[in-house]
């Protein structure tokens, strides 16, 4: 089976990874591999910390993917001989003040209802395990099981692992159009005029998937995020040993430490269409971050990155078949790193017609790309889909 994967973000690359394992010949098309949203991501693999009211259909996906992670990460790391910065040190979700603590109590109740084992601890107990926390931290939710990984290393390792195999081709071009035979996708037209044909095409082009002519017009929106990478001075390293997430005057902020001492400080969440980094967003992140961990102000700023999350109306991705030659896998919003093994495997199996029974009950329906179309319309490009439940103003209290 010859398969084209359009887009080499963490989703396209993990899809290619599973496709190769299933024996397909894979061509990946991307003008700038691994430099989209996946390049910005903090890399929290945090199903419990991501519990947000009203997102119940997301939990089984997050849990399934989190369970797949240790094996996925170990195999990718071994294939590419790269350390992916995978840690299971857990998360403290900290309250900046007593009002934030009340919000955290409600979060913890929602986590318990969703079956996650977490506990509220006092500010001083939190400081005993993370001495860099501010004395002002009013309390914290302790989540022992949450993990993190370095998404830049994951993407680089996947790219290196799959491209080193025979039967794999990377074309650094933009896909401009899906080629059709009647209603069936048979390949992709590239920006340099070439046409590449295949048995199956998988669209993993993130937030700009709709720009490809002939692609399904999904209710995607760009949710911009700004994120900083910091380096603490050598004498203060490691500043943190586990992920610190927090609410500061109601605003979300997080600090994700890497095993090499880097700390990712994020993230803003903007729908203003600005692809540059607003100074105000950086100021806000540093101000909120230092309320939880004052020592970050002594760190060096190594990198500031702004990218668009591929947002969906209900925070769930779109993974499913569009026609007998095309599968779509996008809209991973705030959870693409966490959901990479789940989405990669499901997309690959859908393309090859080989979906096995590992998928949680109801999950395939909850990620259907057709779930927002009315009965008389469809997600197909030429039918002007009307999205029955699409609310562009939809916002969540998720933190990534
Ligand atoms: C600041 C920030 C922090 C985040 N933190 C986390 C986190 O901690 N945990 C988590 O799980 N998720 C996190 N996310 C979300 C996560 O980054 C995304 O859900 C994920 O990266 C989506 O992956 P993707 O491969 O679908 O998209 P992308 O990474 O955007 O990749 C899409 C690829 O498609 C290519 N492409 C686009 N159009 C075309 C075309 N026409 N032809 C060919 N190629 C094309 C692009 O060049 C790009 O390489 C974060 C996101 C942001 C912005």
């Amino acid at each position: 089976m010859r398969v084209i994967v359009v887009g080499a973000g963490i989703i396209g690359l993990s899809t290619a990874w599973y496709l190769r394992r299933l024996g397909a010949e894979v061509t990946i098309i991307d003008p700038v591999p691994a430099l989209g949203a996946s390049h910005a991501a903090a890399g929290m693999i945090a199903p419990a910390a991501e519990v947000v009211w009203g997102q119940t259909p997301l939990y089984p996906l997050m849990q399934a993917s989190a369970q797949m992670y240790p094996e996925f990460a170990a195999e990718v790391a071994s294939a590419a001989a790269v350390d992916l910065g995978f840690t299971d040190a857990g998360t403290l979700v900290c309250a900046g003040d007593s009002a934030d603590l009340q919000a955290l109590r409600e979060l913890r109740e929602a986590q318990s209802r969703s079956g996650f084992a977490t506990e509220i601890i006092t500010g001083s107990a939190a400081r005993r395990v993370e001495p860099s926390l501010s004395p002002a931290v009013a309390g914290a939710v302790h989540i022992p099981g949450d993990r993190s990984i370095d998404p830049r290393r994951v993407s680089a390792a996947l790219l290196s692992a799959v491209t080193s195999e025979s039967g794999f081709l990377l074309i650094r071009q933009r896909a401009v159009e899906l080629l059709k035979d009647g209603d069936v996708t048979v390949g992709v037209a590239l920006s340099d005029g070439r046409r590449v044909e295949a048995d199956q095409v998988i669209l993993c082009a993130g937030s700009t998937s709709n720009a490809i002519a002939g692609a399904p017009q999904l209710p995607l929106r760009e949710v911009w995020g700004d994120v900083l990478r910091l380096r603490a001075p050598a004498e203060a390293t490691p500043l943190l040993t586990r992920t610190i997430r927090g609410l500061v005057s109601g605003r979300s902020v997080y600090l994700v430490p890497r095993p090499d001492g880097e700390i990712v400080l994020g993230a803003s969440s903007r729908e203003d269409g600005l692809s540059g980094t607003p100074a105000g967003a950086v100021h806000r992140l540093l101000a909120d971050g230092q309320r939880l961990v004052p020592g970050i102000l002594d760190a060096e700023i190594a990198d500031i990155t702004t990218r668009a999350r591929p947002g969906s109306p209900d925070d769930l991705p779109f993974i499913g078949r569009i026609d007998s030659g095309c599968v779509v896998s996008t809209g991973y919003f705030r959870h693409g790193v966490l959901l990479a093994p789940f989405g990669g495997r499901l997309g690959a199996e859908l393309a090859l017609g080989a979906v096995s029974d590992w998928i949680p009950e109801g999950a395939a329906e909850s990620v259907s790309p057709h779930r927002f179309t009315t009965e008389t319309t469809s997600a197909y490009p030429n039918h002007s889909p009307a999205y029955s439940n699409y609310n562009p103003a939809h916002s969540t209290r998720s933190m990534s």
Side-chain angles (χ1 to χ4, degrees):
M1 183 83 90
R2 292 169 308 143
V3 183
I4 292 172
V5 176
V6 178
I10 200 162
I11 297 303
L13 291 168
S14 53
T15 306
W17 168 261
Y18 283 102
L19 281 168
R20 291 293 294 129
R21 285 164 45 122
L22 292 166
E25 260 180 49
V26 183
T27 300
I28 289 205
I29 293 167
D30 194 322
V32 280
L35 288 178
S38 309
H39 187 65
M44 291 172 288
I45 302 168
E50 285 293 335
V51 165
V52 180
W53 295 270
Q55 286 187 310
T56 315
L58 195 52
Y59 307 151
L61 276 62
M62 295 198 294
Q63 281 175 301
S65 205
Q67 277 164 16
M68 295 164 80
Y69 240 103
E71 189 183 341
F72 172 73
E75 288 182 359
V76 173
S78 152
V82 170
D83 175 4
L84 304 181
F86 188 54
T87 73
D88 59 359
T91 300
L92 285 178
V93 188
C94 299
D97 59 32
S98 51
D100 295 322
L101 187 57
Q102 182 51 36
L104 285 195
R105 287 205 174 93
E106 291 167 21
L107 171 69
R108 204 232 151 191
E109 279 168 28
Q111 288 169 333
S112 298
R113 282 197 299 276
S114 303
F116 292 108
T118 61
E119 60 168 337
I120 293 258
I121 60 173
T122 62
S124 48
R127 276 186 297 284
R128 273 199 292 281
V129 289
E130 284 297 342
S132 299
L133 285 174
S134 163
V137 166
V141 178
H142 182 221
I143 308 174
D146 277 358
R147 305 183 179 108
S148 67
I149 202 163
D150 185 338
R152 292 183 180 179
R153 289 184 181 218
V154 178
S155 298
L158 284 167
L159 199 54
S160 135
V162 289
T163 50
S164 65
E165 293 184 34
S166 62
F168 184 97
L169 184 63
L170 171 67
I171 303 180
R172 291 179 188 263
Q173 289 291 325
R174 195 161 50 86
V176 291
E177 185 181 357
L178 295 186
L179 301 172
K180 305 273 181 176
D181 180 1
D183 282 342
V184 178
T185 301
V186 293
V188 170
L190 306 181
S191 46
D192 64 358
R194 269 186 287 168
R195 297 157 76 86
V196 188
E197 299 202 344
D199 301 307
Q200 292 287 317
V201 174
I202 309 188
L203 283 177
C204 305
S207 61
T208 56
S209 183
N210 288 350
I212 299 168
Q217 297 300 292
L218 298 164
L220 286 168
R221 69 188 202 282
E222 294 184 322
V223 182
W224 291 90
D226 311 291
V227 70
L228 283 75
R229 281 166 170 79
L230 307 174
R231 277 213 171 271
E235 65 275 14
T237 301
L239 192 60
L240 296 170
T241 61
R242 73 201 70 213
T243 296
I244 303 298
R245 302 169 78 131
L247 276 181
V248 175
S249 304
R251 290 183 300 274
S252 299
V253 65
Y254 57 73
L255 298 113
V256 182
R258 303 264 184 254
D260 66 1
E262 182 181 80
I263 294 173
V264 182
L265 169 65
S268 57
S269 190
R270 308 182 278 106
E271 299 195 44
D272 52 14
L274 295 175
S275 58
T277 311
V282 175
H283 171 77
R284 171 65 47 84
L285 287 172
L286 286 167
D288 290 347
Q290 69 89 32
R291 290 261 305 270
L292 299 179
V293 183
I296 61 167
L297 293 190
D298 296 324
E300 197 178 298
I301 298 179
D303 180 302
I304 300 178
T305 307
T306 295
R307 291 291 187 277
R309 304 172 183 89
S312 73
D314 56 4
D315 295 0
L316 285 153
F318 298 107
I319 316 170
R321 185 159 282 290
I322 297 303
D323 62 50
S324 58
C326 183
V327 165
V328 70
S329 182
T330 185
Y332 286 80
F333 204 6
R334 303 173 188 277
H335 305 114
V337 178
L338 166 59
L339 293 178
F342 176 91
R345 182 171 174 189
L346 179 56
E349 290 186 354
L350 281 170
L352 302 185
V355 181
S356 44
D357 58 5
W358 61 276
I359 302 176
E361 201 183 331
E365 293 73 25
S366 69
V367 298
S368 165
H370 308 286
R371 66 187 182 275
F372 292 104
T373 54
T374 60
E375 275 178 20
T376 53
T377 58
S378 77
Y380 289 73
N382 300 326
H383 291 72
S384 303
Y387 294 103
S388 51
N389 300 318
Y390 179 32
N391 175 10
H394 177 91
S395 71
T396 74
R397 300 183 61 178
S398 178
M399 297 177 183
S400 52

